[in-house]
Amino acid sequence: LVHLRLLFFASTMAEHAAVAEDAYKLLDELHGKPDSFFKFEGEKDGVTRYRLRAKKAQQLEHGPAMLSKSFDLYKGTVHIKAPVHHCVGAVRLVEERSLWDSLCEGGMLVDPCEGHGREAELGAVSVVYHRFSALLHGVVSGRDFVYVSAQREHSAAEVEGTWISVGHSPEALSTLVPPDDSLTRGRILFAGIVMAPHDQGGTHVTLYTSTDPRGRVPAMAVNMGGVKCLDNLLDMRRALEHPETSKAVQAAAAK
């Protein structure tokens, strides 16, 4: 029985690692595209924002496997005056993500397939659960997500010391966490973050994200307001550039 459990765990771990590798391939493909490949949506509070229409995203080599034919993908860039390892520490937070993410109401590590936190300096693949607050004064109910999360140093990056992070919600993962009647279970179709040393100090952060919120929110409405999801970068910058919250984030990341 123990042997069978070990085989099942190894098989599951391999499946999650394969999901992460597919997400890394999509991130590399997206990050290799010039800004002109995306539609410029403007700059706000230091965050440069772009959109990639769902139809065009389907033309990517690695797009159809993860991205939806209905939901657009968004790209945002920002300069954060904090070192790369501080940004990586923030991205890796699970239970304490709310220290920097204003919409996050909590989370938990569902399945630490490979080391997490300080045990995973060379990389990590895990199954993570997060829940997020309602929007528009409750008009859009809260959402929760179960997804594969992975981070590693990008050895092939143009800038030495670059780290990358990816996330994706395979359908099968949703059963690992019982549904909460007060929340709608959404899907992270793709999340990718590139954190590279900035030539003026600090970190150049690029976020790519596409989400299916599920529920009664039509795809057209999601795509119209989806660019606001890039405000997540403002949260990260605000937290990591503030001495007190930055200290709390790094203390949590070091656990």
Side-chain angles (χ1 to χ4, degrees), residues 1 4 11 35 49 60-61 66 68 71 83 86 92 113 119 133 136 141 154-155 157 176 186-187 195 224-225 239 249:
L1 182 60
L4 288 174
S11 174
D35 289 341
R49 302 157 190 260
L60 294 165
E61 179 182 354
M66 289 192 173
S68 166
F71 296 99
H86 283 193
R92 279 183 168 169
C113 305
E119 298 177 358
S133 59
L136 302 175
S141 64
H154 194 352
S155 58
L176 295 180
R187 284 189 69 207
M195 297 160 281
M224 287 177 62
V249 168

Side-chain angles (χ1 to χ4, degrees), residues 3-230:
H3 180 63
L4 288 174
R5 285 179 177 174
L6 288 173
L7 286 175
F8 175 77
F9 178 76
S11 174
T12 303
M13 188 169 77
E15 290 174 3
H16 298 334
V19 169
E21 285 302 319
D22 287 344
Y24 282 133
K25 290 176 183 177
L26 178 54
L27 178 59
D28 280 345
E29 185 176 5
L30 286 165
H31 203 58
K33 297 293 185 184
D35 289 341
S36 58
F37 182 75
F38 305 84
K39 181 179 181 292
F40 178 66
E41 293 284 338
E43 185 173 342
K44 179 184 176 184
D45 299 325
V47 176
T48 306
R49 302 157 190 260
Y50 304 88
R51 180 200 302 260
L52 184 63
R53 294 292 185 184
K55 185 176 180 179
K56 190 173 183 179
Q58 288 295 307
Q59 299 171 13
L60 294 165
E61 179 182 354
H62 302 288
M66 289 192 173
L67 301 177
S68 166
K69 295 179 180 179
S70 302
F71 296 99
D72 295 344
L73 178 140
Y74 301 90
K75 171 185 175 180
T77 64
V78 70
H79 177 203
I80 296 179
K81 296 175 183 178
V84 171
H85 70 274
H86 283 193
C87 296
V88 175
V91 169
R92 279 183 168 169
L93 290 182
V94 179
E95 291 89 346
E96 304 91 347
R97 183 184 174 101
S98 58
L99 285 172
W100 66 268
D101 188 336
S102 62
L103 293 179
C104 183
E105 294 188 331
M108 64 179 179
L109 193 60
V110 179
D111 185 2
C113 305
E114 294 179 19
H116 205 77
R118 298 188 70 181
E119 298 177 358
E121 290 303 314
L122 298 178
V125 179
S126 304
V127 176
V128 170
Y129 168 82
H130 276 121
R131 60 183 183 274
F132 297 88
S133 59
L135 299 173
L136 302 175
H137 306 288
V139 174
V140 179
S141 64
R143 257 59 178 176
D144 62 356
F145 302 88
V146 185
Y147 60 100
V148 172
S149 172
Q151 301 82 36
R152 69 185 182 195
E153 189 167 9
H154 194 352
S155 58
E158 293 182 7
V159 181
E160 185 177 356
T162 296
W163 275 75
I164 51 180
S165 174
V166 292
H168 174 65
S169 300
E171 289 280 9
L173 286 190
S174 187
T175 60
L176 295 180
V177 179
D180 184 327
D181 292 340
S182 67
L183 301 169
T184 299
R185 179 67 49 85
R187 284 189 69 207
I188 295 176
L189 299 173
F190 178 74
I193 307 175
V194 180
M195 297 160 281
H198 196 285
D199 55 10
Q200 296 179 7
T203 306
H204 182 78
V205 179
T206 305
L207 169 66
Y208 301 88
T209 179
S210 182
T211 301
D212 178 357
R214 298 273 172 94
R216 298 181 179 180
V217 184
M220 182 181 296
V222 174
N223 291 335
M224 287 177 62
V227 74
K228 287 188 64 63
C229 65
L230 299 175

